[in-house]
Amino acid sequence: NAGVTQTPKFRILKIGQSMTLQCAQDMNHNYMYWYRQDPGMGLKLIYYSVGAGITDKGEVPNGYNVSRSTTEYFPLRLELAAPSQTSVYFCASSYLGGNYGYTFGSGTRLTVV
Amino acid sequence: AQRVTQPEKLLSVFKGAPVELKCNYSYSGSPELFWYVQYSRQRLQLLLRHISRESIKGFTADLNKGETSFHLKKPFAQEEDSAMYYCALSDQTGANNLFFGTGTRLTVIP
C-alpha cells in the first residue's frame, strides 16, 4: 500500500515550457487535491476532484489544468511555465473529504527559471 | 471568507517545558479545525481533529469560539516533537476542502 505517490520529486523548467506533475493513490479514495506551497506561506488549493470525471477549481487555479479519468490518478498540468509557479506542489487524497483527514504525497519541488 | 492565522513562524522551547502553538481562524459558519504536522524528511500528516476530541502524542487542542482560536498544547515537550505544525480549517462545502495556516516551526531544545 504505497499511499499517495508523486512524481517527479524535483524539476527545473524554463519559462514557457510545459509539464505534468503526476499523482497516484492506491487507497480507492474519492477525493483528490492539488496544493502549492510558496516559501513561508501556507498551502493553497489549486484544484480538487470529488471523483472520477469531476474536477473543480480551488483558490489559485490560473496557469494549471487537471483531469481525473480514473479514481487512482490526478495529474496536474502546467502550461507555459512562469517564475511565479516556482513552488512545492503537494497532492493529497481523502476517502470522504477534508473532515476525515488528508493523506499527502511527498511533494514536488518545481523551479521555473 | 475563511482564514487561518498562525502568528508564530518559529517557536523554541526546552525539553520538558509546556508548549502552545497558536492558531486563530476566521469563518462565518461552525468551523471544523485540524492540526497537521510535518516531521523532518516526512510527509505532512494529520495530528488531530477537533471533531474527534482526541489526544495524540500528548497534544490537545481546544476550540474556543469566543476567541476564534484552536491552539495546540502539550504539557511537556519532547525532542521528537520538533517539526513544522500547520493549523487547518474545513470550508464545510461538499468537498470539505481544507484551508491551511502558514505553519509554525517548533524546535525543542534538549
Side-chain angles (χ1 to χ4, degrees):
Chain A
N1 195 342
V4 177
T5 303
Q6 286 185 242
T7 56
K9 292 193 184 304
F10 304 94
R11 182 73 185 267
I12 298 174
L13 276 183
K14 293 185 178 179
I15 295 171
Q17 287 184 321
S18 301
M19 77 165 293
T20 299
L21 281 66
Q22 302 292 345
C23 178
Q25 53 93 6
D26 60 359
M27 299 169 287
N28 202 33
H29 283 175
N30 294 315
Y31 297 77
M32 295 188 76
Y33 311 83
W34 275 105
Y35 284 84
R36 60 176 285 175
Q37 184 178 30
D38 299 335
M41 305 295 287
L43 283 72
K44 292 194 180 299
L45 183 64
I46 305 171
Y47 270 95
Y48 67 98
S49 169
V50 300
I54 306 170
T55 62
D56 209 345
K57 295 177 180 179
E59 284 182 277
V60 289
N62 292 343
Y64 306 94
N65 278 298
V66 293
S67 60
R68 184 98 182 268
S69 56
T70 66
T71 300
E72 296 81 9
Y73 299 101
F74 190 42
L76 178 72
R77 178 82 178 161
L78 278 72
E79 302 283 1
L80 298 175
S84 61
Q85 293 177 304
T86 294
S87 191
V88 180
Y89 292 83
F90 290 100
C91 180
S93 73
S94 177
Y95 184 58
L96 289 174
N99 282 1
Y100 297 87
Y102 287 0
T103 299
F104 278 91
S106 56
T108 296
R109 186 176 295 275
L110 176 67
T111 303
V112 181
V113 296
Chain B
Q2 54 274 52
R3 177 179 288 183
V4 177
T5 302
Q6 293 180 252
E8 304 146 324
K9 285 193 181 299
L10 304 170
L11 181 64
S12 295
V13 300
F14 285 100
K15 178 182 174 181
V19 60
E20 180 179 70
L21 295 117
K22 292 183 169 49
C23 173
N24 291 92
Y25 67 90
S26 172
Y27 186 63
S28 57
S30 182
E32 293 297 345
L33 288 148
F34 309 83
W35 278 97
Y36 279 76
V37 61
Q38 188 170 28
Y39 300 103
S40 178
R41 289 185 288 278
Q42 293 188 27
R43 303 179 183 205
L44 201 58
Q45 58 187 285
L46 178 66
L47 179 62
L48 58 79
R49 303 177 278 186
H50 157 247
I51 52 178
S52 55
R53 304 254 192 295
E54 56 206 345
S55 172
I56 303 294
K57 299 185 178 182
F59 284 99
T60 58
D62 291 319
L63 177 61
N64 186 322
K65 291 186 178 181
E67 296 182 358
T68 60
S69 68
F70 188 58
H71 302 331
L72 183 68
K73 300 178 183 180
K74 186 170 182 177
F76 306 104
Q78 303 299 314
E79 290 180 63
E80 55 265 30
D81 296 328
S82 294
M84 194 75 183
Y85 291 82
Y86 294 92
C87 183
L89 177 150
S90 168
D91 70 359
Q92 298 294 77
T93 62
N96 300 129
N97 296 331
L98 294 182
F99 289 82
F100 288 83
T102 51
T104 298
R105 181 171 297 282
L106 174 66
T107 301
V108 180
I109 304 165

